[in-house]
Amino acid sequence: MRLTATAIILSSRAHGEHGAVVRALTGDDGVQAGYVRGGRSRVLRPVLQPANIIIGEWRARTDSQLPALTAELVRSRAPLHSEPLPAAALEWLTALTAAALPEAHPYPRLYQALSGVLDAIDAAPAARGWAAPLARYELLLLSELGFGLDLGRCVATGAQADIGYVSPRSGGAVSRAAAAGYEDRLLPLPAFLAAGGAAEWPDIFAGLAITGRFLARSILLDRQAETLAARERLIDRLHRAVA
């Protein structure tokens, strides 16, 4: 096995005295894991930070062997790790992607979307420019893994107009007319989540409430409590940033 590709670092964990096992997302070959010799050294630790872009070369003699990985840094996002809000966003996005995606399955749309959100965080650390795209990345990840939400038509009436809510049970959209009298049992659906575009903070938090609920229920579940804790830290910092 030999693979050379541009990749986004998702995680790096110590292995042995000096090495590290790294998981990275490639555009055409999905998540790839590899062992980096000396990955815990002062030279390589900054290269292997989550959200960095590398050119990786994976080599293994057999398919059952963990490949050896060499990594050449293309783009460092190290400065963002020293700023609490951007750092929380990078931690969550990379942890979510690492936890959710199986290895070696191509997800080119997720690769492009994750690259775009990370670029937005790099360009605007204050969050206004990337919080809505982050919510839409979560929505896309749900869809790519088979848990997409049907936001195009009302599950009760079939209507495609005046959609205003999401059922917390089915993930289906509900029109305002069909929701009358049951609004407190439903999740408000902000327009940007289904259609894109700009969003104000109340809508962004409403969108994150929807995607967070279904990520926890369908993908992360109880076994990923540590990953969900990273999201809780991000949401808390977002609330404090806009308070």
Side-chain angles (χ1 to χ4, degrees), residues 71-155:
E72 177 185 344
L73 183 64
V74 174
R75 182 172 181 180
S76 172
R77 293 194 166 99
L80 295 176
H81 288 278
S82 63
E83 301 182 42
L85 186 52
L90 298 187
E91 178 190 17
W92 161 243
L93 286 165
T94 53
L96 167 64
T97 308
L101 298 189
E103 290 185 7
H105 289 253
Y107 292 98
R109 293 180 66 202
L110 283 176
Y111 177 84
Q112 292 298 329
L114 180 59
S115 295
V117 180
L118 294 176
D119 286 347
I121 296 171
D122 219 343
R128 187 59 182 268
W130 53 259
L134 184 147
R136 285 185 55 79
Y137 175 75
E138 294 179 345
L139 186 70
L140 176 63
L141 187 142
L142 284 163
S143 177
E144 290 286 293
L145 293 179
F147 300 101
L149 308 185
D150 183 4
L151 305 180
R153 66 176 63 240
C154 176
V155 293

Side-chain angles (χ1 to χ4, degrees), residues 148-239:
L149 308 185
D150 183 4
L151 305 180
R153 66 176 63 240
C154 176
V155 293
T157 66
Q160 294 178 290
D162 200 31
I163 301 297
Y165 296 90
V166 171
S167 165
R169 283 184 153 185
S170 69
V174 182
S175 68
R176 288 182 174 83
Y182 299 94
E183 292 91 344
D184 59 342
R185 302 182 188 179
L186 302 170
L187 301 170
L189 174 62
F192 87 91
L193 197 62
E200 299 298 323
W201 280 112
D203 285 342
I204 290 171
F205 286 119
L208 289 168
I210 292 171
T211 53
R213 180 182 184 90
F214 289 98
L215 285 172
R217 191 181 79 176
S218 302
I219 293 178
L220 296 178
L221 308 175
D222 293 338
R223 70 180 186 275
Q224 298 292 352
E226 184 178 340
T227 305
L228 285 172
R231 190 178 196 274
E232 291 171 3
R233 287 192 292 272
L234 171 60
I235 299 298
D236 178 64
R237 286 178 180 174
L238 283 171
H239 277 291

Side-chain angles (χ1 to χ4, degrees), residues 56 69 98 131:
L69 169 62

